[in-house]
Amino acid sequence: MIIGYNFLSKREAFWISMKIRFCGAARSVTGSCHMITFEGGSILVDCGMRQGEDAHTDYGEGDFPFIPSDIKALLITHAHIDHTGMVPLLVKRGFKGPIFSTEATAKLCGIMLPDSAHIQEQDAEYQNRKNERAGKPLVEPLYTAQDAENSLRLFKGVRYDSIIQICPGVEARFTDVGHLLGSAAIEVWVTEGGKKTRIVFSGDIGRDDRPIIKDPESPEGADYLVLESTYGDRLHTVSTDDEKEKEFAEILREGIARGGNIVIPAFAVGRTQELLYYIKRFLLNGTVPGLEKVPVYIDSPLGIKATRIYAGCGADCYDDETKALARSGDLFEFDSLHIAETVEQSMEINELTGCNIIISASGMCEAGRIRHHLKNNLYKANATVVFVGYQAVGTLGRIIIDGAKKVKILGVQVIINAAIKQIEGFSGHADQSELLEWVSEIPETPKKIFLVHGEDKAINALKGKLQEKGYSIEVPEMFEEFDLGTGEVYATATKKVTEAAKQRRQQAADIRASLKRLIFAATELLSAEPDRAKDMEEDIGGLADRMEKLVK
């Protein structure tokens, strides 16, 4: 199938045979993976984990729409798993080329990919226990810790703003986009027939005035731009770093005054380090009276490792303000900071009295040590729980911030008496206005902008805004391939997205909406009057029985 249109002149098309295939994050927000094919072969930009409904493609979560051994090189925009999580599988399936990333990204991948492999092994072990009982075949993990270690040997760290050769006919430059330590937009120059074409991959774009890392920079030019659209339909409510800092300081003042623990669920990489940065600034400036007397605990093994990496990457990644703060000593060290590396040290935190600040993962409270801390603090009227990241529908974190009176944690019903706070300004993603500003600062208008890494609503909103400004926009479907010479769009040469796959995505969206209503009803049940609760319990219980029959 060919969808014909032409956005290049015939003279330009004569020299260009290169193509872009969108192998992930097309009309979805995970699994970023884009392939450039040219006369010298193929390279990939990102190789991310496909998660949730994004895994329901023709390839599932464990295969590729290309032969891994045919790929000459892989370029990584940043370390988040939705951009890197399939790298160990790529290597396991035969990829042997170099993996280029910034030096900081390579270091973060050095802890995040083995951690991801550990999760894969645990999931397979859990599934096999169920399969054995049911007489079903055993499964293998998607990849193992050894596969992750094998992939790490292929990483080559590069400096920002340096033009490097990727393979014959291909050069690249990494530009800081302020999303995460080491994050980058990647400019790729492909030379064919004596002509250079520059394709820019935005990766995930950050925000101005965030702590620690530099502000996002736009590339010097782009013939074609592959642009993320995660927050393409929204504007952040907290717009400046000063506003976020004041809000966080006020919440800490209130929490200290209440007298109990201040529990902060936080993503291990990025968010944990931002929190420590602010706390140290508060201590140095005396912003929060009494804070110097409050012990601060990091209780996340991955977060501890990530903090050590953040502390050692100042020269390339820190902004000027952070460099100045670092001159007073280790950026994340202060007298009241305590590290809980072992399970025993984590358990000891729950025996403490008075006010303590506890920063622990996971950020959405779905797993990890944070669940123990919530179980031991949510019922206390003098405790405070502070959410500093997005909470997806259906997660424990979302149920709590939506006003639940009780929650079940580790098999125990816990009454919520603690103060629940949320700060929205910690997002690491540029919003709609910031994405538009980043694109507008590219000196010359790209011939075509491809929108990826977003849900349909976000993509369509950003597409409309960009078209109003005169940009030519394309929204690729999963596995579609664009010929930059002829302007033609091809279904992938192997498998294409089917109508059935689209229907599955819509059905999944409908199911999520229904589950959201069910979660709300269950939350209401927990706080309902006894007579009403009895009727609701029977209705929800009957629905649960029918759902169980559907999945058997």
Side-chain angles (χ1 to χ4, degrees):
M1 175 183 175
I2 297 177
I3 306 168
Y5 59 83
N6 201 311
F7 47 81
L8 292 181
S9 70
K10 290 182 179 179
R11 179 168 179 166
E12 289 175 308
F14 177 78
W15 293 110
I16 301 176
S17 63
M18 73 188 72
K19 300 176 179 66
I20 303 178
R21 180 184 294 176
F22 295 90
C23 304
R27 292 192 179 274
S28 60
V29 292
T30 70
S32 286
C33 185
H34 314 300
M35 182 168 70
I36 302 175
T37 301
F38 57 103
E39 63 183 6
S42 298
I43 64 170
L44 290 183
V45 176
D46 286 342
C47 192
M49 182 77 73
R50 300 188 289 270
Q51 298 163 310
E53 290 307 314
D54 295 347
H56 296 167
T57 70
D58 287 345
Y59 293 89
E61 63 177 350
D63 210 345
F64 301 103
F66 49 78
I67 300 172
S69 59
D70 288 346
I71 304 299
K72 289 188 171 294
L74 169 62
L75 287 67
I76 298 292
T77 60
H78 66 283
H80 279 150
I81 290 299
D82 62 326
H83 291 255
T84 63
M86 295 284 272
V87 172
L89 183 65
L90 188 76
V91 173
K92 178 180 179 180
R93 296 283 172 81
F95 172 77
K96 293 182 172 60
I99 302 173
F100 294 94
S101 73
T102 63
E103 293 171 346
T105 293
K107 290 177 181 178
L108 287 175
C109 285
I111 60 173
M112 295 178 74
L113 294 183
D115 184 72
S116 177
H118 179 62
I119 292 171
Q120 298 300 324
E121 291 174 331
Q122 282 187 320
D123 287 350
E125 182 180 349
Y126 172 74
Q127 186 62 48
N128 283 335
R129 287 200 297 269
K130 292 176 63 178
N131 287 3
E132 277 188 313
R133 289 194 295 269
K136 295 180 180 179
L138 300 183
V139 300
E140 292 186 1
L142 198 60
Y143 51 82
T144 65
Q146 185 59 56
D147 297 322
E149 290 300 324
N150 293 343
S151 70
L152 294 174
R153 297 190 186 103
L154 302 178
F155 272 77
K156 297 181 180 296
V158 302
R159 302 290 296 271
Y160 281 124
D161 303 323
S162 299
I163 297 177
I164 59 170
Q165 185 175 52
I166 302 301
C167 59
V170 181
E171 296 174 312
R173 175 167 58 194
F174 290 70
T175 301
D176 198 336
V177 287
H179 171 68
L180 181 74
L181 190 80
S183 64
I186 305 177
E187 298 169 78
V188 180
W189 287 270
V190 180
T191 301
E192 285 192 335
K195 179 180 174 62
K196 276 191 177 183
T197 299
R198 175 158 47 182
I199 308 167
V200 174
F201 297 84
S202 73
D204 287 355
I205 300 169
R207 310 182 62 197
D208 286 345
D209 299 322
R210 288 186 67 213
I212 306 174
I213 55 181
K214 297 175 183 176
D215 291 347
E217 296 179 14
S218 298
E220 295 180 0
D223 296 312
Y224 303 95
L225 172 61
V226 179
L227 176 66
E228 67 117 331
S229 56
T230 312
Y231 281 8
D233 62 337
R234 70 186 77 177
L235 300 174
H236 293 304
T237 55
V238 176
S239 58
T240 69
D241 186 50
D242 285 344
E243 290 175 332
K244 176 174 62 177
E245 187 171 355
K246 288 177 183 177
E247 187 175 357
F248 185 35
E250 181 58 30
I251 288 173
L252 290 182
R253 290 189 202 101
E254 293 175 1
I256 292 171
R258 292 174 73 89
N261 288 330
I262 301 171
V263 180
I264 310 178
F267 298 110
V269 180
R271 202 60 41 84
T272 292
Q273 293 72 43
E274 284 188 52
L275 292 167
L276 292 176
Y277 169 89
Y278 280 123
I279 291 170
K280 180 162 185 174
R281 274 183 47 162
F282 295 157
L283 288 168
L284 291 174
N285 299 330
T287 308
V288 181
L291 180 60
E292 69 281 357
K293 300 176 183 178
V294 178
V296 178
Y297 291 85
I298 306 180
D299 190 16
S300 163
L302 185 62
I304 293 165
K305 293 175 184 177
T307 301
R308 290 169 180 155
I309 291 172
Y310 264 70
C313 289
D316 273 354
C317 301
Y318 290 173
D319 59 21
D320 291 339
E321 190 174 13
T322 304
K323 288 178 181 176
L325 182 62
R327 294 188 191 106
S328 66
D330 188 307
L331 185 63
F332 306 105
E333 284 284 348
F334 43 87
D335 291 342
S336 55
L337 179 64
H338 303 269
I339 304 298
E341 296 203 56
T342 67
V343 173
E344 291 74 21
Q345 289 170 332
S346 176
M347 293 172 66
E348 288 171 4
I349 295 174
N350 292 318
E351 304 301 321
L352 299 172
T353 58
C355 182
N356 304 275
I357 296 173
I358 305 165
I359 302 170
S360 186
S362 69
M364 295 188 191
C365 311
E366 284 298 278
R369 297 178 178 180
I370 187 62
R371 295 173 71 88
H372 294 275
H373 297 303
L374 291 174
K375 175 185 171 185
N376 285 284
N377 286 278
L378 276 173
Y379 70 91
K380 298 176 181 177
N382 65 349
T384 304
V385 178
V386 187
F387 290 94
V388 292
Y390 176 72
Q391 305 298 312
V393 173
T395 62
L396 176 60
R398 181 60 171 268
I399 292 170
I400 292 171
I401 64 173
D402 278 349
K405 304 300 182 184
K406 298 178 183 178
V407 288
K408 193 170 186 178
I409 305 176
L410 302 173
V412 177
Q413 285 286 353
V414 182
I415 297 173
I416 300 179
N417 293 319
I420 307 300
K421 304 289 184 178
Q422 185 177 23
I423 306 174
E424 295 187 357
F426 277 88
S427 172
H429 278 279
D431 66 11
Q432 184 187 83
S433 65
E434 292 162 334
L435 289 169
L436 293 171
E437 181 181 2
W438 188 84
V439 174
S440 71
E441 291 176 355
I442 300 174
E444 295 183 5
T445 301
K447 295 181 177 75
K448 181 71 66 176
I449 297 178
F450 300 95
L451 293 183
V452 297
H453 203 288
E455 299 288 353
D456 283 347
K457 183 181 176 184
I459 289 173
N460 292 335
L462 185 60
K463 176 182 177 181
K465 291 293 184 181
L466 287 166
Q467 286 177 328
E468 288 175 8
K469 296 179 179 295
Y471 292 100
S472 177
I473 307 299
E474 188 66 42
V475 181
E477 295 285 349
M478 192 74 80
F479 309 130
E480 277 187 339
E481 187 172 61
F482 290 75
D483 190 315
L484 301 186
T486 65
E488 293 175 329
V489 184
Y490 303 89
T492 179
T494 50
K495 297 182 183 179
K496 70 181 183 112
V497 175
T498 63
E499 286 302 318
K502 293 180 182 178
Q503 289 173 4
R504 286 198 300 270
R505 286 203 298 267
Q506 184 58 51
Q507 288 169 349
D510 293 341
I511 290 171
R512 283 196 297 271
S514 297
L515 285 174
K516 184 177 179 181
R517 292 167 54 203
L518 180 60
I519 290 165
F520 178 79
T523 302
E524 289 290 298
L525 170 62
L526 292 174
S527 57
E529 294 296 327
D531 291 343
R532 182 166 170 257
K534 187 171 187 280
D535 293 337
M536 291 177 65
E537 183 179 5
E538 290 175 356
D539 291 341
I540 293 178
L543 177 59
D545 291 340
R546 291 195 296 274
M547 290 174 68
E548 286 180 357
K549 289 178 181 178
L550 285 173
V551 298
K552 284 182 179 178

